[in-house]
Amino acid sequence: MRAVIVAAAVAFLISLFGTPIAIRVFSALKAGQPIRTIGPQTHLGKRGTPTMGGVAFILATVLAYVAGHLALTTLPERQIAQEKPTMTALVLLGVFVFCGAVGFMDDFLKVRKRNSDGLSAKGKLLGQLLIGTGFGIAALYFPSTNGQTVASEKISFIRDVSWLDVGKVGSVMVFVFVIMAMSNGVNLTDGLDGLATGASILVLGAYSLIGFWQYRHWCGDNDYVGAAGSLTAQHCYQVRDPLEIAMIAAAAAAACVGFLWWNTNPARIFMGDTGALALGGLIGGLAVATRTTLLSVIIGGLFVIITMSVVIQIISFKTTGKRVFRMSPLQHHFELAGWSEVNIVVRFWIIAGICAAIGLGLFYSDHLAVMG
């Protein structure tokens, strides 16, 4: 627990005090966010607000992970097993950083061209595809000494579903899909001050709790297995490096809290695609690593709802020539309906919190059912 708290505290402080530095640097570089003229007119006043702020919480999370590992050196021997960086950390932080790099390229091109046309949609999808494939292979083909891999060959809900065995190649494809879906889901949710940041905090917070709970009931913990006596695979969690998962999720959530101090309305800096793609990639990686791939649809329900609003709008317009929403993504529909930006953000945060709570409830109810 100490390592998780240390990682979260360090991430929060670095992000809280580092984001103003990012604001000054990107302002000096004239890295202002271009605003689409076809969007809500209220957004035109945000033109020139520095973007690429995701760099701040990405860096804070990585440094906090290092600090968390330093804290592990003072923990009991049972916990030292995860003292060294693991493949789980490589996959999760790798997806986080590299998806952020794709977003950074997009933001850089927008700033350089002085318009909202950055990296092409095909370019972003190709980047996400390559990242998902590379780290998906690492997650499936590099087991630990006990044979455990970061990802599973089975589709998971709260645990692996035994009859949904897709094999290694199929699992890599699932990994790619989850990373791409979550990255674009968070990216579509971005657009109002603090919306994507606050929603991500709730989802990452949920995954930090899931990771720590799995660590306390881990099949790889010989002390827990020994104390439980006749323990079956259903009584513990067959995941790899759950303490790493909890540390990274908690650090990312806390870093986002520090960033939200400056990102809330009126935002002094935007996360940009740098932050949105990075957060989505990390959330997707956490879903796979915790064996909660299908449950992530509920935990990250707000991202799913907003993504579906875009899909519905496109299908409706192409098939009938009519729009279901005044504008998509969904948050812009409510802007044009007269809702204030703050009202939309707070109400969407409530939805995100409800979704995360339902997901945690389902996760815990499974444990109660098994142990009961």
Side-chain angles (χ1 to χ4, degrees), residues 352-363:
I354 291 171
C355 290
I358 292 172
L360 285 173
L362 290 171
F363 178 82

Side-chain angles (χ1 to χ4, degrees), residues 64-280:
Y65 171 76
V66 176
H69 268 276
L70 292 177
L72 279 175
T73 60
T74 64
L75 293 178
E77 184 178 356
R78 181 170 66 90
Q79 296 172 318
I80 296 297
Q82 292 186 318
E83 179 183 339
K84 295 181 180 179
T86 62
M87 181 58 69
T88 301
L90 174 64
V91 170
L92 294 179
L93 292 177
V95 169
F96 189 43
V97 171
F98 279 90
C99 282
V102 172
F104 185 87
M105 291 175 60
D106 183 50
D107 290 331
F108 176 79
L109 291 174
K110 289 176 183 176
V111 170
R112 185 177 181 182
K113 296 176 182 178
R114 300 298 175 188
N115 60 46
S116 58
D117 297 326
L119 194 63
S120 67
K122 289 183 179 179
K124 282 194 282 190
L125 291 175
L126 178 60
Q128 293 168 332
L129 176 63
L130 293 175
I131 293 166
T133 302
F135 286 103
I137 291 172
L140 263 299
Y141 287 86
F142 293 88
S144 60
T145 53
N146 65 357
Q148 188 72 58
T149 54
V150 178
S152 171
E153 295 182 33
K154 299 179 178 66
I155 305 294
S156 59
F157 178 51
I158 296 173
R159 302 171 187 267
D160 285 341
V161 181
S162 59
W163 53 272
L164 288 179
D165 193 328
V166 294
K168 287 189 176 181
V169 174
S171 185
V172 171
M173 294 173 65
V174 170
F175 186 91
V176 171
F177 174 79
V178 173
I179 296 301
M180 295 179 71
M182 281 295 181
S183 289
N184 290 297
V186 177
N187 198 26
L188 290 171
T189 304
D190 194 23
L192 300 185
D193 295 353
L195 176 56
T197 308
S200 296
I201 290 168
L202 294 166
V203 174
L204 290 167
Y207 270 113
S208 68
L209 292 174
I210 288 173
F212 190 74
W213 185 262
Q214 289 179 332
Y215 172 65
R216 299 304 300 174
H217 304 83
W218 183 31
C219 295
D221 182 347
N222 292 329
D223 287 352
Y224 173 69
V225 173
S230 58
L231 196 66
T232 69
Q234 291 300 313
H235 290 83
C236 59
Y237 295 95
Q238 303 263 10
V239 297
R240 179 173 175 177
D241 312 315
L243 185 59
E244 298 277 89
I245 294 170
M247 250 199 313
I248 292 170
C256 286
V257 173
F259 180 76
L260 184 61
W261 183 272
W262 309 100
N263 181 236
T264 192
N265 186 272
R268 291 186 55 189
I269 189 169
F270 299 140
M271 70 167 67
D273 280 20
T274 304
L277 294 183
L279 288 173

